[in-house]
Amino acid sequence: MIENLKIEVSKYRDQLIKHPIYGNIDSINSLKQFMESHVYAVWDFMSLVKKLQMDLTTTTLPWQPPENNAAARLINEIVWGEETDLDKDGNSVSHFEMYLNAMRQINANTQRIEKLLDGLREGNDIFDTIDRAGLPEYVANFLNFTFRIIEEGKTHKIAAVFTFGREDLIPDMFISMIKKMNIENERKFDQIIYYFERHIEVDGDSHGPMALDMIKNLCGSDPLKWEEAISASKSALQKRISLWNGINLQIIQNEKALM
C-alpha cells in the first residue's frame, strides 16, 4: 500500500520540485521574501512532529509503555534530530531556530513570526492567532490546514501530512543558486545553505524512510486508514503548491515594482 500512496502523490511532488519559484529566487531581496513566508512552514512542521510524539509515546505521568513501540521509536528518533540538531557551529538547536538564525544573517524580517509565537505563549487560540496575524492568505491557509489536521487527531493522517511536507522537496539547483549568491556576497548565506543541506540530508537518509515506515505501521491493513492517508498526503502537497504559488507571485510583483 505504501507504494500506491507514493504513486498517488508523485505528480504533486513533481510539481513542487519543478516549481518556477526556485528560478526566481536569484537575489538577496527575493531570498528574504521567500524565507519570510517559508518560515511558517518550517515552524508548523515542528507542531506535526510534536503531535506525533504526543500520540505515539508517553508524555504524561505516571509513565506507561507506548501502545506501538515501533512507531514510538521512529518518532523519538525524528524528534531528536528535528528539535535538537547541531547547527553549523556545533550548537544544539531546533531546525526552526536554525532557520531563524539564517534569516537574521541576511536581515530578513523575523518580527511577524516572533509576534505570532508571543501570542501563543500568552495562551491565545491558534486559529484566532493566525487570523489576527495579518498573514498573506496563502500562508494563513497553509497554517490553518496543518492545525485542522492536528485538531482532527487522526494519527495516521498527521503522519501522512508530516511525511509529505518535508524539505526533501527542495531541488539541488535551488541550493546551487544560493551557493552562487553566497560567493558573490562574501558568504552571507552560509547558515541558510547549511539549513537546507542538513534538512535534505536527514530527510533523505533517515527521516524520510522512517516516516514512510511510520505510515505503514499506523495504517497496517486497514483500507480506510490508507485511503485517508492518501487523501491527506495529496492535500498537504496541494497546500504546499499553493504556498509556493503565493510566494512566487509576491516575488515577481516586487521585482517588477523595483524595475
Side-chain angles (χ1 to χ4, degrees), residues 21 24 33 138 244-254:
I21 190 172
N24 290 326
Q33 291 168 52
Y138 49 86
W244 262 208
N245 289 343
I247 300 173
N248 191 46
L249 181 59
Q250 181 189 37
I251 289 171
I252 291 171
Q253 291 175 339
N254 288 348

Side-chain angles (χ1 to χ4, degrees), residues 157-203:
K157 291 179 67 173
I158 297 167
V161 172
F162 161 81
T163 299
F164 291 99
R166 303 186 322 274
E167 302 304 348
D168 67 336
L169 297 166
I170 303 289
D172 290 339
M173 72 91 166
F174 176 53
I175 298 177
S176 297
M177 192 175 296
I178 298 177
K179 284 182 176 179
K180 182 180 178 182
M181 284 193 284
N182 192 47
I183 294 170
E184 293 175 351
N185 290 275
E186 298 179 355
R187 303 196 179 282
K188 292 182 179 179
F189 306 96
D190 59 342
Q191 291 199 46
I192 189 59
I193 291 169
Y194 180 85
Y195 167 84
F196 281 126
E197 290 188 330
R198 181 62 182 150
H199 219 298
I200 292 170
E201 176 187 356
V202 296
D203 277 350

